[in-house]
Amino acid sequence: GDSVTQMEGPVTLSEEAFLTINCTYTATGYPSLFWYVQYPGEGLQLLLKATKADDKGSNKGFEATYRKETTSFHLEKGSVQVSDSAVYFCALKYTGTASKLTFGTGTRLQVTL
Amino acid sequence: KAGVTQTPRYLIKTRGQQVTLSCSPISGHRSVSWYQQTPGQGLQFLFEYFSETQRNKGNFPGRFSGRQFSNSRSEMNVSTLELGDSALYLCASSLELAGNEQFFGPGTRLTVL
């Protein structure tokens, strides 16, 4: 079946450091890929998405490129802030069938001053 | 525009009881999906409703059920509660069935004692 694998957390970085959170997927078809962020005590917020191979999603300084050859969708940010501290979830979904998102286990990011 | 609202935010029940959770989608959104989030299993899809009909279902026992009303508001019900049902239950809405843009509510934290 379909699955998403994320790097184990927590990831601890100093402010202004470069961030990479790895995400790889296994899928039988050609899904859309997403990154969601969850702040403490809140629901999930869509951070960015990519719907086909080589698409780059970007938002708020975060970027991820849909790499079909390596089945990856790694999240990057050039300079993190304390306010970026949260849990980040990678997810996949097939277009046009169901709203079902298949999530990774989440990666907690902690940014310190 | 108001976001997705879920009530109640917190709930404590005992084993064997039943519980009903409510979700009001963003105005104009017609699809509502439910997810269960636990530390052990992560985020898992429960079901999706559109036009008052269940359209997709995850791998959960029949104790988990739901419905959708004509105004798109949705409820989910869990009967004969078990300790393992303790979780954060998240609701997500989208404009259409299988929509790529899903907006999550803050969740209902259910604790089963």
Side-chain angles (χ1 to χ4, degrees):
Chain A
D2 300 333
S3 65
V4 176
T5 302
Q6 289 182 235
M7 62 190 289
E8 290 280 334
V11 173
T12 303
L13 295 173
S14 298
E15 202 171 46
E16 299 183 3
F18 184 87
L19 168 72
T20 300
I21 299 179
N22 290 337
C23 169
T24 56
Y25 67 91
T26 302
T28 52
Y30 301 99
S32 296
L33 301 173
F34 303 83
W35 277 101
Y36 281 84
V37 58
Q38 187 175 34
Y39 297 100
E42 298 184 14
L44 300 172
Q45 296 177 27
L46 177 62
L47 184 58
L48 53 84
K49 67 178 182 184
T51 57
K52 61 183 187 298
D54 299 325
D55 266 2
K56 178 189 278 190
S58 60
N59 185 27
K60 299 181 184 178
F62 291 90
E63 292 183 341
T65 301
Y66 190 164
R67 301 281 188 206
K68 183 163 163 262
E69 63 277 9
T70 54
T71 61
S72 64
F73 192 54
H74 305 321
L75 182 68
E76 296 181 336
K77 187 176 185 185
S79 175
V80 293
Q81 306 299 312
V82 171
S83 57
D84 294 327
S85 298
V87 181
Y88 292 80
F89 292 91
C90 185
L92 67 80
K93 175 188 169 305
Y94 289 100
T95 301
T97 54
S99 288
K100 176 187 173 181
L101 287 156
T102 298
F103 288 93
T105 52
T107 301
R108 181 175 299 278
L109 169 66
Q110 188 167 343
V111 181
T112 58
L113 290 170
Chain B
K1 200 173 192 180
V4 178
T5 57
Q6 292 188 244
T7 57
R9 291 293 310 275
Y10 302 91
L11 208 46
I12 300 175
K13 293 286 187 179
T14 56
R15 276 180 299 176
Q17 287 187 308
Q18 75 164 16
V19 67
T20 299
L21 313 181
S22 180
C23 171
S24 292
I26 291 172
S27 177
H29 283 197
R30 298 166 62 199
S31 170
V32 173
S33 298
W34 289 88
Y35 292 83
Q36 181 195 64
Q37 185 176 23
T38 60
Q41 299 298 317
L43 281 151
Q44 294 187 291
F45 173 78
L46 278 154
F47 29 62
E48 177 182 16
Y49 283 86
F50 180 80
S51 292
E52 302 176 61
T53 304
Q54 187 181 93
R55 301 300 179 122
N56 297 286
K57 191 175 188 306
N59 291 329
F60 279 83
R63 300 185 297 108
F64 292 81
S65 62
R67 59 178 175 167
Q68 187 181 35
F69 301 94
S70 58
N71 61 358
S72 295
R73 189 177 71 86
S74 177
E75 290 180 347
M76 68 163 280
N77 183 276
V78 188
S79 62
T80 319
L81 284 165
E82 300 176 0
L83 295 179
D85 297 333
S86 294
L88 181 67
Y89 289 89
L90 293 165
C91 158
S93 77
S94 60
L95 271 171
E96 296 294 336
L97 180 65
N100 261 0
E101 291 273 354
Q102 292 189 53
F103 297 84
F104 282 79
T108 294
R109 172 75 62 186
L110 171 64
T111 302
V112 182
L113 302 176

